[in-house]
Amino acid sequence: MELRLYDTLAREKRPFRPLDPARVRMYACGPTVYDFAHIGNARPIIVFDVLFRLLRHLYGADHVVYVRNITDVDDKIIVRAAEEYPDRPLNEAIRAVTEKTERQFHEDVNALGALEPTFEPRATEHIGEMKALIERLIASGNAYVAQEHVLFSVPSMHDYGRLSRRSLDEMLAGARVDVAPYKRDPMDFVLWKPSKPGEPAWPSPAGIATPGRPGWHIECSAMAWKHLGETFDIHGGGIDLVFPHHENEIAQSRCAFHSPAMANYWMHNGFLQVEGEKMAKSAGNFFTIRELLADWPGEVLRYQMLMTHYRQPIDWTRKASEEAAAALDDFRVSTAGADAAKGRIDQQIIDALADDLNTPQMAASLHRLLGEVRKDDNQPACDLRATFAFLGIELDRVNLQEILKRQRGGIDEGKVVSLIDARSAARKARNFKEADRIRDELDGMGIELEDKKDGATLWRFKR
Ligand SMILES: [Zn+2]
């Protein structure tokens, strides 16, 4: 078994060779903390958590370092803070927004079964590293000062644009470039900018008198450098980050360290749509993780996410949530009482994940293992439990009937039972018309019936 990962930079699946197998290093871009994370944000969290678990399995839990940052200085945060706490000083309002949002984010990703990353650095705690990088880039001729800004000079890097492989015109359109008078070239991007009065501000680098704040891209170069070094193994994120964010991270880090690579493997998860449409608040199909967790255990959302290969676009549908819940419920019931501690992680699952995280193949193998459980002894059930634990899925938290009951909170169970009694009486009296009418009434309430041979009638919530 060999781990192979698709590298966006090489445009192919490559065998994974860490720089140091005793310290495998991975970075993934984390959230900007100004609002609840949406279900699209959950995708990289889950995908790179699965990769983190796989690397820990292959190299040992103590030999993998995973960094996922928190962006806590950003225009969106400043705008939100001013809206939400108009009476407080801006810096205090910003702290209130970022602390609250960070707490919500942690609750959400815990519910999704994601392990804590090894380090979770905050941008505002790495201003010193950002300024050191900026000074290096100025010294090497890759950055310049203009009107109290520091800009990265894109033409100074001869192979800028290798990750996204776009033409200059496409890059200009994609970056929604501000044509600013202080830029030497329209593609140049901000490393540091002056703060407006009241905004978060730090003493500026490069002898600039006005206090300022960092651009977004420099944050990740600085935090990756601090915790993982000048060059590391894997850099991940959503496909929307390839350009300009990751392109610019590469430019900053490679030029600052005169190195051929920032990371040796660049991995990107595909887009997420909802019910076949682009997710948008205006379209009414915008879901936060928090909203979905009100309807489904995090295990269901996690398993649903893994049903689609991470590089494919995913269509997030309610039907797929139900199918994921039904599948996990089936696994739970079939392996009830089996002890994960007595099981082994199934090698076919590892093999599937080692093939560029082939999670659809993984699911097929889980179902094959389920087929063995139904035959005889207890070992396959223990193995399945151990495998689900490895995947971060606690089966005992997924009970489909309890989920459906919670979702249809308004149902009067006493009324259901008395309707079933009335139907049994009608059947006894051979009044089948009335019995059918009652069954239809229950059906309209989302209840389905099962008549047992002994005359009893079971009921459950319909999917
Ligand atoms: Zn980043």
Side-chain angles (χ1 to χ4, degrees), residues 27-30 69 71 216-217 219-221 223 235-236 241 245-246 249 262 266:
Y27 187 95
C29 296
N69 71 291
T71 294
W216 173 36
H217 313 302
E219 294 176 11
C220 286
S221 283
M223 291 185 269
H235 193 312
L241 296 183
H245 184 54
H246 289 168
E249 281 188 38
M262 178 187 188
W266 286 83

Side-chain angles (χ1 to χ4, degrees), residues 325-391:
L328 292 182
D329 186 71
D330 202 10
F331 283 115
R332 174 184 64 83
V333 171
S334 305
T335 61
D339 185 356
K342 293 187 182 139
R344 282 182 312 266
I345 300 167
D346 187 69
Q347 187 56 39
Q348 285 194 29
I349 305 299
I350 299 297
D351 290 347
L353 292 177
D355 178 18
D356 192 34
L357 303 184
N358 190 341
T359 52
Q361 180 64 44
M362 169 200 89
S365 296
L366 288 169
H367 283 282
R368 176 195 51 77
L369 210 55
L370 186 63
E372 292 175 23
V373 168
R374 282 166 175 161
K375 280 175 207 150
D376 45 27
D377 76 314
N378 193 240
Q379 191 58 45
C382 295
D383 291 350
L384 255 180
R385 288 265 162 171
T387 303
F388 272 104
F390 162 70
L391 293 171

